[in-house]
Amino acid sequence: AQTVTQSQPEMSVQEAETVTLSCTYDTSENNYYLFWYKQPPSRQMILVIRQEAYKQQNATENRFSVNFQKAAKSFSLKISDSQLGDTAMYFCAFPEGSQGNLIFGKGTKLSVKP
Amino acid sequence: ETGVTQSPTHLIKTRGQQVTLRCSSQSGHNTVSWYQQALGQGPQFIFQYYREEENGRGNFPPRFSGLQFPNYSSELNVNALELDDSALYLCASSLGGGDTEAFFGQGTRLTVV
């Protein structure tokens, strides 16, 4: 069974600084996708970034980028120029099987301090 | 904001009662998945519906059941509520498959007393 592990329950960062959130996963699949979702206090889960495992190039979306290490099964999220609005829970997620239902990590609570 | 809406936003029920939660999927999406998120935890997959048929189920007992309607909206029903059912219930709609983005609603906060 696939598993997703986020080892940092809480992190904090100063506004405008850079922070990296860690995620490791376990799967026997070779082609798959990985996702980072953000859940602000409003509770609505929002997709931050997506990585395709067969692509060697790390995904980037504006201030958000990933460091994807397929052999190590590691998928970390880097947030550059952190903003107060980045304060949220961040979840790493892996879609399971053909249905694509998501397996989530336990999340990392990120606080951006002014 | 996504096009996925859930109702109600908050709900308090008594142990042993039954509850129905509702979800309107984003336009064009034929797949709806339901997740349970306990306090301080990541969401856990309950089940998925694709074109009105159950298309996968997580490790939840049969008292958790669902429906999907022809317009692809969905319901989650929970019978014989237990205190441990207190959680945030999230609905996500998508086009299905492991490569597509899931769009989440704002969730229903269920408290069982």
Side-chain angles (χ1 to χ4, degrees):
Chain A
Q2 285 89 351
T3 58
V4 177
T5 302
Q6 293 179 250
S7 58
Q8 304 152 315
E10 291 193 43
M11 293 192 73
S12 65
V13 63
Q14 292 295 130
E15 197 174 5
E17 299 284 300
T18 295
V19 63
T20 299
L21 310 182
S22 300
C23 172
T24 58
Y25 61 94
D26 189 22
T27 182
S28 57
E29 297 179 21
N30 192 43
N31 294 320
Y32 50 87
Y33 288 72
L34 289 159
F35 302 92
W36 277 98
Y37 279 88
K38 168 185 177 181
Q39 188 178 41
S42 67
R43 306 183 325 205
Q44 192 157 36
M45 202 80 80
I46 302 164
L47 179 67
V48 174
I49 198 164
R50 165 177 34 200
Q51 175 74 43
E52 300 169 78
Y54 67 88
K55 285 189 175 180
Q56 292 187 337
Q57 186 173 8
N58 289 323
T60 299
E61 288 286 343
N62 300 314
R63 299 182 294 107
F64 299 88
S65 62
V66 301
N67 182 4
F68 174 53
Q69 304 287 332
K70 189 175 182 181
K73 296 180 180 174
S74 169
F75 180 58
S76 60
L77 174 69
K78 186 171 84 170
I79 306 174
S80 304
D81 186 25
S82 297
Q83 301 176 359
L84 296 178
D86 295 334
T87 293
M89 286 291 295
Y90 286 82
F91 293 96
C92 177
F94 180 96
E96 183 175 43
S98 57
Q99 299 96 335
N101 52 276
L102 295 169
I103 300 172
F104 288 89
K106 290 188 174 182
T108 296
K109 183 178 181 180
L110 177 67
S111 298
V112 180
K113 300 186 183 304
Chain B
E1 196 171 296
T2 72
V4 181
T5 57
Q6 292 186 242
S7 62
T9 55
H10 295 84
L11 200 52
I12 300 175
K13 287 287 191 178
T14 303
R15 188 171 48 182
Q17 285 188 315
Q18 178 265 343
V19 69
T20 297
L21 311 182
R22 295 179 174 83
C23 171
S24 295
S25 59
Q26 184 152 312
S27 177
H29 286 181
N30 54 23
T31 301
V32 172
S33 301
W34 285 91
Y35 294 85
Q36 180 195 66
Q37 186 178 15
L39 199 61
Q41 301 293 317
Q44 289 202 312
F45 173 67
I46 303 174
F47 45 57
Q48 181 185 90
Y49 278 83
Y50 171 70
R51 294 189 175 184
E52 303 179 59
E53 297 287 330
E54 189 177 290
N55 189 41
R57 189 178 182 92
N59 189 26
F60 280 82
R63 58 189 186 84
F64 285 79
S65 63
L67 281 174
Q68 188 179 31
F69 300 98
N71 66 356
Y72 301 137
S73 65
S74 178
E75 286 182 355
L76 164 65
N77 299 291
V78 187
N79 293 322
L81 283 166
E82 300 177 0
L83 296 179
D84 284 349
D85 296 332
S86 295
L88 180 67
Y89 288 85
L90 296 170
C91 163
S93 79
S94 70
L95 293 172
D99 59 342
T100 60
E101 179 180 354
F103 292 82
F104 285 82
Q106 82 281 15
T108 294
R109 172 74 67 192
L110 172 66
T111 302
V112 182
V113 297

